[in-house]
């Protein structure tokens, strides 16, 4: 095992241990609900916890993970070794931070929320927590280039990464709907902003794929011989 892989594993386990032991939000105090005009409203404390949980999961699965995938996608056609390393480290760092934020959000939900798993948001969230940590170990224990297992590893890593990103984005939308149901607050603006953000990332993802061909078309056109008009039938 490489030295940086050992350091990475040590860093992840130490950070997760801190997250587990650090009382970010104490669950020992009950979350009182306030009745107002026959409607049940959450306490400000519980509302803050739900908002913070949503922010952590948006930053993780709705922002950093898609950016990390975009970064590694940009490296596919990069020939400069220096930029290849930079893009790889950007991908790795973004994914590491995303996993840690998702883990913090998961710990918050376990410690402070009523997890009956009777809705799609909670069920999908549990599945995502498992998949992202499986993806972490796929990333750490990747085979060397040229080995027989490399192709299988690459396909599995790609499938899991794509699934996490797609389901993570979907769960952000489901979580916003759950937030509206719990707090009765409007989510139209947040849905619109998140849609714009995801659309921009998808646009750049697709555009960089075609940028190489756009540049190639320019080169071909510039090297084509100009045929005189009188020779055109």
């Amino acid at each position: 095992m490489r030295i940086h892989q050992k350091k990475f594993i040590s860093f992840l386990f130490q950070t997760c241990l801190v997250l587990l032991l650090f009382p970010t939000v104490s669950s020992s105090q009950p979350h009182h609900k306030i009745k107002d005009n026959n409607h049940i409203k959450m306490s400000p404390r519980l509302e803050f916890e739900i908002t913070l949980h949503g922010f952590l999961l948006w930053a993780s699965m709705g922002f950093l993970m898609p950016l990390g995938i975009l970064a590694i996608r940009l490296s596919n056609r990069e020939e400069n070794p220096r930029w290849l390393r930079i893009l790889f480290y950007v991908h790795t760092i973004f994914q590491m931070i995303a996993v840690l934020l998702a883990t913090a959000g998961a710990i918050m939900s376990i410690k402070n929320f009523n997890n009956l798993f009777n809705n799609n948001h909670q069920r999908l969230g549990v599945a995502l927590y498992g998949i992202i940590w499986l993806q972490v170990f796929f990333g750490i224990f990747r085979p060397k280039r040229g080995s027989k297992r490399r192709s299988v590893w690459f396909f599995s890593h790609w499938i899991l990464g794509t699934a996490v990103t797609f389901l993570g984005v979907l769960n952000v939308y489901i979580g916003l709907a759950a937030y509206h149901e719990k707090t009765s607050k409007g989510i139209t603006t947040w849905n619109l902003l998140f849609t714009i953000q995801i659309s921009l990332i998808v646009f750049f993802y697709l555009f960089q794929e075609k940028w190489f061909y756009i540049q190639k078309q320019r080169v071909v056109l510039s090297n084509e011989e100009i045929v005189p008009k009188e020779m055109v039938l």
Side-chain angles (χ1 to χ4, degrees):
M1 184 184 296
R2 298 176 182 176
I3 296 177
H4 71 273
Q5 289 179 334
K6 293 181 179 180
K7 291 182 178 179
F8 182 34
I9 295 172
S10 176
F11 168 75
L12 284 176
F13 279 108
Q14 289 177 14
T15 305
C16 289
L17 182 62
V18 171
L19 289 172
L20 285 168
L21 297 178
F22 183 71
T24 53
V25 185
S26 175
S27 59
S28 60
Q29 298 183 7
H31 301 297
H32 299 288
K33 294 183 178 180
I34 305 170
K35 291 185 178 181
D36 182 22
N37 296 329
N38 297 323
H39 293 284
I40 298 178
K41 293 184 177 180
M42 291 184 297
S43 66
R45 179 192 180 95
L46 180 56
E47 186 174 336
F48 169 77
E49 291 170 357
I50 292 175
T51 303
L52 180 58
H53 169 80
F55 175 79
L56 289 174
L57 272 297
W58 161 78
S60 170
M61 299 185 184
F63 185 66
L64 290 175
M65 284 188 181
L67 284 183
I69 288 180
L70 180 61
I72 202 65
R73 188 70 174 181
L74 288 171
S75 69
N76 287 347
R77 299 188 182 279
E78 183 59 53
E79 298 179 356
N80 188 317
R82 181 171 177 270
W83 277 107
L84 277 173
R85 286 195 298 270
I86 291 174
L87 289 171
F88 173 77
Y89 285 126
V90 168
H91 169 78
T92 304
I93 291 171
F94 278 8
Q95 302 305 77
M96 285 171 55
I97 297 174
V99 168
L100 295 177
L101 291 178
T103 303
I107 293 171
M108 279 191 63
S109 64
I110 292 171
K111 292 175 63 178
N112 300 285
F113 304 149
N114 295 323
N115 296 293
L116 301 177
F117 303 105
N118 56 356
N119 59 71
N120 293 330
H121 181 64
Q122 290 181 345
R123 293 167 185 162
L124 186 55
V126 170
L128 283 169
Y129 296 145
I131 295 173
I132 62 174
W133 273 103
L134 180 61
Q135 182 74 327
V136 167
F137 288 103
F138 264 104
I140 295 173
F141 300 105
R142 66 185 185 278
K144 295 181 179 180
R145 288 185 179 275
S147 66
K148 295 180 179 179
R149 297 179 299 163
R150 181 74 180 195
S151 297
V152 176
W153 170 87
F154 179 83
F155 181 76
S156 302
H157 189 64
W158 172 72
I159 285 291
L160 286 177
T162 303
V164 167
T165 302
F166 176 78
L167 295 177
V169 169
L170 177 63
N171 213 28
V172 170
Y173 283 111
I174 298 175
L176 284 171
Y179 175 78
H180 171 69
E181 183 180 348
K182 292 286 185 180
T183 64
S184 299
K185 291 188 175 182
I187 57 172
T188 302
T189 301
W190 297 115
N191 273 325
L192 179 61
L193 291 175
F194 185 57
T195 300
I196 293 173
Q197 173 218 307
I198 293 298
S199 298
L200 288 174
I201 293 176
V202 171
F203 171 78
F204 283 114
Y205 181 90
L206 297 175
F207 178 76
Q208 60 83 28
E209 180 69 19
K210 296 299 181 182
W211 180 242
F212 172 78
Y213 296 101
I214 293 173
Q215 291 179 315
K216 186 176 180 180
Q217 291 298 316
R218 291 180 59 188
V219 172
V220 171
L221 287 174
S222 63
N223 292 334
E224 286 180 346
E225 294 182 0
I226 301 176
V227 180
K229 291 183 179 180
E230 58 269 17
M231 294 182 62
V232 179
L233 298 178

